Amino acid sequence: MSDSSDDRPSTHFLLRPAENLGRAIVGTLEELGRFFVFLGRVLRALPRRPLRWKLLAEQMERIGVRSIPIIALSSAAIGAIFSLQITILLGWFQAETMVGAAVGITLARELAPVITTLMLIAKNGSSMTAELGTMRVTEQIDAMETMSVDPVHYLVVPRMVASVLVFPILTGLANVVGVTGAYVIAVEMMGVDPGGFFEQLYWYVNPIDVVSGLIKASVMGFMMSVICSYFGFYSDRGSKGVGESATRAVVTSSVGILIADYVMADLMLKWLY
Amino acid sequence: METIVEVQDIHKAFGSLEVLKGASMPFEEGRITAIIGQSGTGKSVLIKTIIGVMDPDRGEVFFRGEEITTAPAERRREIRRNFGYLFQDSALFDSMSVYDNIAFPLVESLGMRDRKKIRAIVEEKLEWIGLPEVGRKMPAELSGGMRKRVGLARTLAARPEVLLFDEPTTGLDPVLAESINDLIVRVNEEFGITCILITHDIQATFRISNAIGFLYEGVIQEHGTPEELSRTSHPILRKFLTNSFADLGVAG
Ligand SMILES: Nc1ncnc2c1ncn2[C@@H]1O[C@H](COP(=O)(O)OP(=O)(O)OP(=O)(O)O)[C@@H](O)[C@H]1O
Ligand SMILES: [Mg+2]
């Protein structure tokens, strides 16, 4: 073993923070570059045949069907809590019946897609990274390549397509269950007039509110699947590698979708509603 | 004998760690050729550049005279179909049964759709490795030696011309190691497949291979027939061989 690291001239200690900052910036740029190369591979693999229906169905089942309970539970809770707070607030203006509209719009535009995505990142994103990371570390991904099968096409594309399709469906579910949760709290517990609740809901919530939320969900599903697959794909060897990748994948994709949500909300407020 | 694969002046570094520093070696068609060398010298890296899982920083890899590393991706994928690779830890797909593992290259690489034909080939391969009963099992249920053999069956299913073995016997007990060595010889003799293997098992290597290359400090220091290598004057290879055969002296 040669100590090549010792050959380098050492930095003056006052310059070391600058050196470290420089390293961090270069490291981040390198990582970003590698991510966009990966994204390019995913997009290029997307239209390629064969279509793997079985793998797609499998992923839709895992991400979609098996997430119904957790999405229903969390959106019911959010709808109920939001309804509780907003009914009290609206009560100050004798406008309690507006609660249906307030909950409906916020759920449709923001809360349903965001809550759904965050829950799915926790439930599926981390396991996506862990699964692909394990395959990387145990050379299963290399094995695929030696058999002339593109692992991006075989492993990542079905996960990505499944996420893009399933996220809006689950967001739709979150809308319905969330409004139901809000209804139970506002009408059954806080005595808001049920007729008024629905009248305001129908009056103020437009189809475009719902559709924009579903579009957001699709974009977020795309982001989550690509980011989490990326971290799995480039997991380091060693036992720490996969776990650490999963953590980084969850943090990065959570922050990423919140930023994307803000950008999309801004654009949609300007152009859509 | 014709050269089927050749590496020339392969360089590969990971960060500041220079692993290969100009490795060159020819591999003859229909033969068993071994690469020996200490742990961590870059044997795995070298054969990974042959099959193209890893790109060398510099240097060339030839298959039947055609340079691979600079070929377009589509052509590389085509050429790669002539190769099989048995990974050090078998690299079986954990999420699939043994049957599906062996069927994988048939369906995904060769594009076979006929279920009956696929079944026939998978069963024949399972029979050939002496494990006709394990088709339904998951890889996690198999022992290390069984995984190796299933890995071999999977690579054989795609009918490669060249088979690369990464330490096929490491971590197996002597009896199992012997049975894997026998399988390598049978692969070579029965199917005429060119075998390239990396190994620590010097004694077995001298017994089963037709040619041997010694990798040290990133370069193939010597290559030739086992007889030629056993008469080497290269001091480090001498020492390496003396140590390996000293073990035999103690054991035998
Ligand atoms: N993907 C990689 N990234 C970084 N370093 C690597 C990578 N692959 C191999 N190395 C390093 O290259 C060196 C040679 O590795 P390689 O696996 O080829 O050794 P080997 O000769 O096969 O050893 P062994 O007999 O232990 O398998 C090692 O120091 C290893 O850490
Ligand atoms: Mg190795």
Side-chain angles (χ1 to χ4, degrees):
Chain A
M1 291 283 127
S2 69
D3 291 335
S4 57
S5 57
D6 286 354
D7 303 342
R8 229 179 287 140
S10 67
T11 316
H12 189 278
F13 77 97
L14 282 175
L15 289 177
R16 245 169 245 158
E19 190 188 358
N20 290 341
L21 179 67
R23 280 238 178 85
I25 291 172
V26 170
T28 310
L29 288 179
E30 259 174 24
E31 177 100 47
L32 263 177
R34 202 171 61 167
F35 173 76
F36 281 106
V37 170
F38 180 77
L39 179 63
R41 274 182 78 180
V42 177
L43 294 178
R44 260 179 288 128
L46 179 61
R48 264 213 313 272
R49 317 254 135 188
L51 299 170
R52 301 179 201 274
W53 293 109
K54 211 179 128 215
L55 294 179
L56 179 63
E58 217 174 273
Q59 289 302 326
M60 288 182 72
E61 202 248 345
R62 281 177 62 177
I63 303 171
V65 180
R66 291 198 221 158
S67 302
I68 290 175
I70 183 78
I71 297 296
L73 192 69
S74 50
S75 54
I78 289 290
I81 294 162
F82 194 55
S83 166
L84 181 66
Q85 300 281 13
I86 205 88
T87 307
I88 293 170
L89 205 134
L90 290 170
W92 301 342
F93 309 100
Q94 276 85 46
E96 292 94 332
T97 47
M98 285 294 292
V99 63
V103 171
I105 287 185
T106 7
L107 267 176
R109 288 184 181 179
E110 291 294 340
L111 286 179
V114 171
I115 294 298
T116 302
T117 304
L118 289 178
M119 292 317 266
L120 291 177
I121 287 175
K123 183 178 158 292
N124 293 97
S126 56
S127 68
M128 219 178 256
T129 307
E131 218 180 343
L132 296 184
T134 305
M135 291 189 74
R136 163 64 70 197
V137 171
T138 57
E139 300 184 308
Q140 293 175 52
I141 290 180
D142 291 335
M144 244 175 225
E145 251 162 49
T146 65
M147 291 183 249
S148 304
V149 174
D150 178 9
V152 169
H153 187 251
Y154 190 88
L155 296 170
V156 181
V157 168
R159 286 170 166 78
M160 191 270 273
V161 175
S163 301
V164 168
L165 296 177
V166 159
F167 274 50
I169 297 174
L170 289 174
T171 299
L173 173 77
N175 276 325
V176 175
V177 179
V179 167
T180 310
Y183 177 90
V184 170
I185 296 298
V187 176
E188 305 292 335
M189 287 179 58
M190 303 184 71
V192 174
D193 171 46
F197 184 97
F198 281 116
E199 198 176 307
Q200 303 290 353
L201 183 72
Y202 287 134
W203 185 254
Y204 281 101
V205 182
N206 294 317
I208 195 69
D209 294 314
V210 178
V211 170
S212 70
L214 302 185
I215 292 172
K216 270 185 182 172
S218 260
V219 172
M220 292 173 181
F222 176 77
M223 289 178 64
M224 180 214 82
S225 55
V226 175
I227 292 173
C228 292
S229 299
Y230 166 79
F231 278 102
F233 228 71
Y234 291 99
S235 280
D236 289 328
R237 285 159 179 254
S239 54
K240 217 177 80 185
V242 175
E244 205 173 282
S245 297
T247 309
R248 290 179 66 199
V250 167
V251 172
T252 310
S253 48
S254 304
V255 173
I257 66 115
L258 290 176
I259 294 171
D261 181 48
Y262 182 86
V263 173
M264 286 190 281
D266 194 48
L267 291 176
M268 285 169 169
L269 283 170
K270 276 192 191 113
W271 303 107
L272 209 58
Y273 304 126
Chain B
M1 273 297 150
E2 210 158 301
T3 301
I4 185 164
V5 174
E6 181 157 12
V7 294
Q8 257 174 27
D9 198 32
I10 300 287
H11 290 253
K12 179 77 186 177
F14 297 101
S16 61
L17 177 72
E18 285 181 64
V19 178
L20 297 177
K21 301 181 226 173
S24 303
M25 181 156 172
F27 298 90
E28 288 185 345
E29 182 162 13
R31 295 298 185 90
I32 300 177
T33 306
I35 297 170
I36 57 174
Q38 283 151 326
S39 204
T41 46
K43 302 183 297 295
S44 298
V45 171
L46 182 61
I47 65 166
K48 278 178 186 166
T49 62
I50 293 178
I51 200 170
V53 178
M54 234 176 228
D55 283 324
D57 299 334
R58 193 142 66 81
E60 294 161 312
V61 179
F62 296 92
F63 176 72
R64 295 195 185 286
E66 185 178 350
E67 215 285 309
I68 306 175
T69 58
T70 52
E74 192 45 44
R75 179 72 191 135
R76 289 184 76 174
R77 211 168 294 145
E78 251 170 62
I79 296 174
R80 205 177 287 168
R81 283 188 225 281
N82 299 301
F83 287 90
Y85 190 115
L86 187 59
F87 283 84
Q88 200 158 343
D89 296 307
S90 308
L92 298 179
F93 302 124
D94 288 331
S95 59
M96 300 179 197
S97 68
V98 166
Y99 184 97
D100 290 337
N101 261 282
I102 301 174
F104 185 90
L106 299 173
V107 177
E108 301 296 341
S109 180
L110 303 181
M112 281 170 81
R113 289 285 171 272
D114 184 348
R115 278 161 185 259
K116 265 193 204 143
K117 218 166 137 193
I118 292 171
R119 171 167 292 275
I121 295 175
V122 172
E123 280 172 359
E124 182 211 314
K125 296 301 167 205
L126 282 171
E127 193 78 41
W128 194 85
I129 55 165
L131 297 171
E133 311 279 287
V134 301
R136 291 213 168 150
K137 292 207 164 134
M138 298 304 279
E141 299 171 67
L142 304 179
S143 70
M146 287 159 102
R147 292 169 63 95
K148 276 262 157 75
R149 283 194 269 175
V150 172
L152 180 59
R154 185 176 67 179
T155 45
L156 282 177
R159 302 190 151 277
E161 287 185 63
V162 180
L163 240 174
L164 308 169
F165 297 85
D166 193 346
E167 303 198 12
T169 57
T170 302
L172 301 181
D173 68 56
V175 177
L176 270 175
E178 208 40 52
S179 73
I180 299 287
N181 285 326
D182 288 346
L183 281 179
I184 296 171
V185 173
R186 281 181 58 203
V187 164
N188 179 249
E189 284 176 355
E190 289 178 29
F191 306 120
I193 295 176
T194 306
C195 296
I196 298 175
L197 59 121
I198 295 177
T199 178
H200 285 152
D201 187 351
I202 308 296
Q203 297 147 30
T205 309
F206 271 73
R207 191 156 37 75
I208 67 172
S209 3
N210 307 109
I212 298 175
F214 175 57
L215 182 66
Y216 180 73
E217 302 243 293
V219 176
I220 299 282
Q221 306 277 345
E222 300 233 328
H223 65 86
T225 63
E227 297 75 50
E228 283 165 352
L229 251 71
S230 63
R231 292 194 303 268
T232 183
S233 56
H234 193 290
I236 296 168
L237 177 56
R238 273 242 69 84
K239 204 169 146 202
F240 193 64
L241 295 181
T242 323
N243 288 345
S244 309
F245 284 102
D247 292 348
L248 185 68
V250 173

